[in-house]
Structures are given as C-alpha cells and as structure tokens.
Amino acid sequence: MARQWTEAQKQAIESRKGTVLVSAAAGSGKTAVLVERVIEYITEENPVDIEKLLVVTFTKAAAAEMKERISKRLGEMIREQPENQNLKRQKMYLPNAQISTIDSFCSKLVKENFEKADVSPDFTTLSDVEHEILKRDVIGEVLEEIYNLPKEETESFLELFSNGRNDEGLVGAIFSLYEFAMASQNPYRWIETAFSDYFDDLPIHRTKWGKYCLDSLKDILEFIRIKAKDIIDDAPENSNLLGAVTNDLTPIILSVENIIEMINNTPEKWDEIKVMTESLTFKNFPTLKKDEKDCYYDELKARRDSIKKYLSSACSLFVCNEEEYKEDMIYLRPIMAVLKKCTIRFMELLYKKKKENNTYSFSDILHSTLKILVEFNDDGTYTKTTLAKELADNYSEILIDEFQDNNEAQDTLFSVISNNNENRFMVGDVKQSIYRFRLSCPELFMQKYYRYSEGLGDERRIDLHQNFRSRKEVLDSANFIFEQIMTEEFGGIVYDDKAALHVGAKYNEGNNNETEVLLLDMPKMASHDRLQKEAEVIALKIKELVGRQEIYNADKENYQKARYKDIVILLRAV
C-alpha cells in the first residue's frame, strides 16, 4: 500500500526551484522524505540522473541506509514497470551515486584533484587518537621553542598561561584556538580576527567583549524588569501588600529601564552604565504586621528574592571601567602577540608533519577541498575556481542531512558547489544539535530558519512537526519538559507550538500508558551505592512490565506483551 504523506511532507518531497530548509522534528519521517524526494527527482516526467544529485549525510551508516532504501524502492518500481528503461538506468547508476558523508565526498574530490590540492593521491586519514598524539608531539616542539625565546619576551606570557607545574593551560589555549580556526572557512584569517581586538585600539563598547557584556546585561535587566512587574501585577488589589511591593520594586524597574535605554542608544557611556548597574540595589522587603499579611506575602517575597541574585550576575559583567580596560590592553598586547605567534607556529608545524607523513585529519581534507574550489580575498570574500563552477553546473541539487551539525567551513563548501545557493535542500532540527563540542554551528541553521519564509519563495522553510514514533503520552511529557527549559538562548529555539512535537501515529487506546517518574531520595549515599539503588529500582520496574504491559508491534500491526528486548535503558554516559 502506498504511503500516505502529510501535506508538509508532500511539500518537502515535491518542492522544486530555490533553496529549501526542512525543520524536521524527531520521528517526523525525514529520512523517508529525503529518499522519496530523490526517487521523485529520478523518476518524474523529466528525470534527473541520480549522478546529478549530491546527498550528504552525517554518518556512513546513514549513507548506506539511504542507498539501500533507494535501491529497494527502485526494485519495487521495476517489478511494477519492467519495461521502464529509466528505472533500470537509475538502478544501474545507484552504486556510483554521490550519497556519502562530507568527509568521504571531500576525500574523493581531493584525490581526484591532488595536484591542485598539493597532496599525494594516496594520503590516509588520521583517527582522532592518532591526531591527538601528533598534536601533542608538535606542541612539545613549539613549547621548546617558546622556552628558548628571550626571557623578557615570554616572562609575562608564561606567568599568565602556565602555573609553574605544567603547561596544560597554555596547551589548552593553543589547541582551542586551533580547533576553532579549523572549523572556520579560512583558519588563518580567523586567527587574525580573533586577536584583532588586542591590537585595534577600539573603545571597549565596540570590542567583542564589550558587545557581549552589554548584550548580556540587557538580557539580565530585561528579565529583572519583567519579573518585577509580574510581582506587582500579582499582588492582590486593595491590600497593604500591593502598596508595599509597588514602593519596593518601582524604583528598580525605572532604573533598569534607564540602563536598557542607555545600552540601546549610548553604549559608549560604558562607565556611566557600569556605575548605574552597580548602584542597583533591592531594599529590605517590606515588613507587615502578622494581621496584615495574607497568603500571597511569602510567595511574592520568595519570587522577589529569587530575582535579586541576577543583580550580582549583572554587576559581575563589569570587571573594569574604560580606563582600566585601556591599561589591561597595554599589558595584554605583547602577551597576545606571543600567543598568536605560537598558535600560528603550531598550525604550520602540525600541517608540515602531516604532509611529511602523508596523513591528514578530516578538517585538513575539508580545507584542502576549499583550497581547490575557492580563492580567498583579503576582505574575507572568495572567488570560485573553474572546478567549483564545473561542480555547481553538474549538480541539479545538493541535499544535506543533519544540517544543524554543520560548521562554517562545511557550509561554505556547500555554498560554493551550489548554483548560487539556489539548489540546496537542507534538513535538520536545532533541538537535536549535539555536536557543539565538535564545533558544529547550529546558528547557521537558525539564521536560515528565521530568514526563510514558510510556504513559497526562492528561500522557503517547511516544518515537519508530526512525530510518527511515539504515543501522545510520550510527546506530551517531552513537550512539557522542553517548554519549561528551552529558550532561544538555551537550546537555540523558543519551544513554542511550531517547535513542539505533535502526534502523527495512530494507536489504539490502551491502559497504563502514562509517563511515570520515579524519584529516589538518597542524598547521603556514596556514588556506587546510588548507582546500585537506581539499578535495583529499574530492575524491579522491568520485571513489573515484562509479560504484563501491552506494546504495539509495528511490523505485525498488533499488540503483544512486553519482552525484555523491548525495553531500553538510556544513560548520560556508560
């Protein structure tokens, strides 16, 4: 029986022309949609050869699964239409179709153009462990060079980054700078930009730190303002408490609004903003006689006290005034010059060692790919090479899975080989972005999420909200938790109705499907004892479920008693 697609899924499958971002929630059938989109492309009235499509997945397993699904669908269609030569041709082309990870695509392209990339065609790829060992070897050589520099050049530098016992602080700083640089489209330009504030003599409010401090301060003050107003609004009318909290909080609200206005209109008045922020204080909460208090008193006092702590967070942002900042910059400038020099030396020496060994990291191969596709200009822009233009002309569409886990360098790659960004089909879910520690940049996804319009247009967004994997009870529980904790600042998106998971699958009504939370109170137990207790509780729960709880078997389309293999235990770490 043909699959019944939702209206949003049909849009994602059938949309043509322009760039599309599909925001696909967990369990929304995004892989099935991707497969069906490819099938539609290669089987419609004016079919596109599958070799003209570039499909990029995040893992080799995902790429293999996608090829297998496409092969299965083509096989089914050939059995139904045995005379259809296009279907047979597409099935024949499938083994060579470019359905792969980013790393595999880059490796293939670099090996095909090894001379332009200035590498040997038989290079190998370093594992994470091998790369870490090589980095440690190279940093050892760099540190030795540092210690051989004149003392007056390195004394303050080493005092700041080394603790006298080891150099891990310095090593960590250089490694972090290297990783961030390699995640950018142009590593050496990133290094220049990262250090620029130390050498540009900008006023503090125009530096990266100053902008961050003012933006953070504005967020904190806005939070205080809203919460203070809520307390006043919630105080009962015609009561002593209303007058008390109004007199207490109104001056705070007015001062906060004045500071926010200054941040928006005159951020150059850094010192004045600092003084005004540090002058913000809550007075003692009004004391009422026992017979004047009501049931709201303790609650409103607790809420008022809870926002007081945010004032200390606001004040802690201002570690110096404008003059102190200038003095700090004079002191830090030569130190940062040494750090910049060491970082560049590390990057150059590390790549030299890799080239000698003919073995590279995945990031190196990605940047070798960019090297043969673009020529970077001094202002940070780039010009496409002839090869990049040829690739862009070759691909009818570039389909990118798990787009939320791309970094800037990867996004630049796909932009370069696209047809002026007009034939990209990106699928992802910022709520499932789990690779920030690998320097993925979910902000790239969110920029497009907010910029692209829903529905039609050259840049459009299609939202797949329906979850076909779980019961309503599961989704309601997940939505409830995420509605409380996920904001644009924490999680990358406001968890509203558009971001929530909506029921897509149909299940028969059953008993005992409610979400259950088991809370164990064991504050004084040792760590291993707590784990033992948790294991005992879980084991008892599993024993209670097996053979009793009915679960749905999607393959057989019926209900059956739960078995041990139907139960999963998820842990934060193993």
Side-chain angles (χ1 to χ4, degrees), residues 278-379:
E278 292 171 343
S279 300
L280 282 173
T281 54
F282 281 87
K283 299 176 183 177
N284 291 329
F285 194 74
T287 302
L288 299 180
K289 296 178 181 179
K290 190 172 183 179
D291 60 344
E292 294 177 327
K293 293 182 180 180
D294 53 32
C295 60
Y296 294 97
Y297 181 86
D298 290 336
E299 178 198 341
L300 294 181
K301 182 179 185 300
R303 286 168 57 186
R304 180 260 199 189
D305 290 344
S306 71
I307 63 175
K308 283 176 64 177
K309 62 182 180 182
Y310 288 94
L311 272 184
S312 61
S313 299
C315 294
S316 67
L317 291 167
F318 289 91
V319 295
C320 62
N321 60 32
E322 186 93 35
E323 188 60 36
E324 290 168 337
Y325 163 75
K326 292 176 181 178
E327 293 173 1
D328 287 344
M329 287 300 101
I330 292 171
Y331 171 75
L332 288 171
R333 194 164 292 151
I335 295 175
M336 291 300 109
V338 177
L339 179 60
K340 176 183 173 183
K341 179 179 178 181
C342 292
T343 304
I344 292 174
R345 174 61 177 155
F346 170 75
M347 292 170 65
E348 291 173 342
L349 186 56
L350 180 62
Y351 190 80
K352 180 183 176 183
K353 295 280 187 183
K354 292 173 180 176
K355 193 171 179 63
E356 290 172 355
N357 298 331
N358 197 30
T359 182
Y360 302 93
S361 69
F362 288 123
S363 292
D364 296 320
I365 302 304
L366 172 59
H367 284 287
S368 292
T369 307
L370 289 175
K371 180 179 178 180
I372 63 179
L373 295 176
V374 298
E375 294 174 358
F376 285 105
N377 305 315
D378 292 339
D379 61 357

Side-chain angles (χ1 to χ4, degrees), residues 534-549:
E534 286 181 21
E536 290 173 3
V537 171
I538 292 170
L540 287 172
K541 189 64 187 177
I542 292 173
K543 189 174 181 180
E544 177 187 323
L545 293 172
V546 170
R548 296 182 178 87
Q549 178 72 36

Side-chain angles (χ1 to χ4, degrees), residues 17 54 112 122 211 288 341 425 484-485 565 572:
K17 297 181 181 180
L54 173 60
E112 290 173 349
D122 59 347
K211 291 175 182 177
L288 299 180
K341 179 179 178 181
F425 184 84
Q484 317 306 313
I485 64 174
K565 69 177 184 179
R572 288 178 62 88

Side-chain angles (χ1 to χ4, degrees), residues 221-231 233 253 256:
L221 296 180
E222 186 64 27
F223 176 84
I224 292 173
R225 186 186 70 83
I226 292 171
K227 293 301 180 183
K229 282 191 170 184
D230 286 346
I231 292 173
D233 291 342
I253 294 171
V256 161

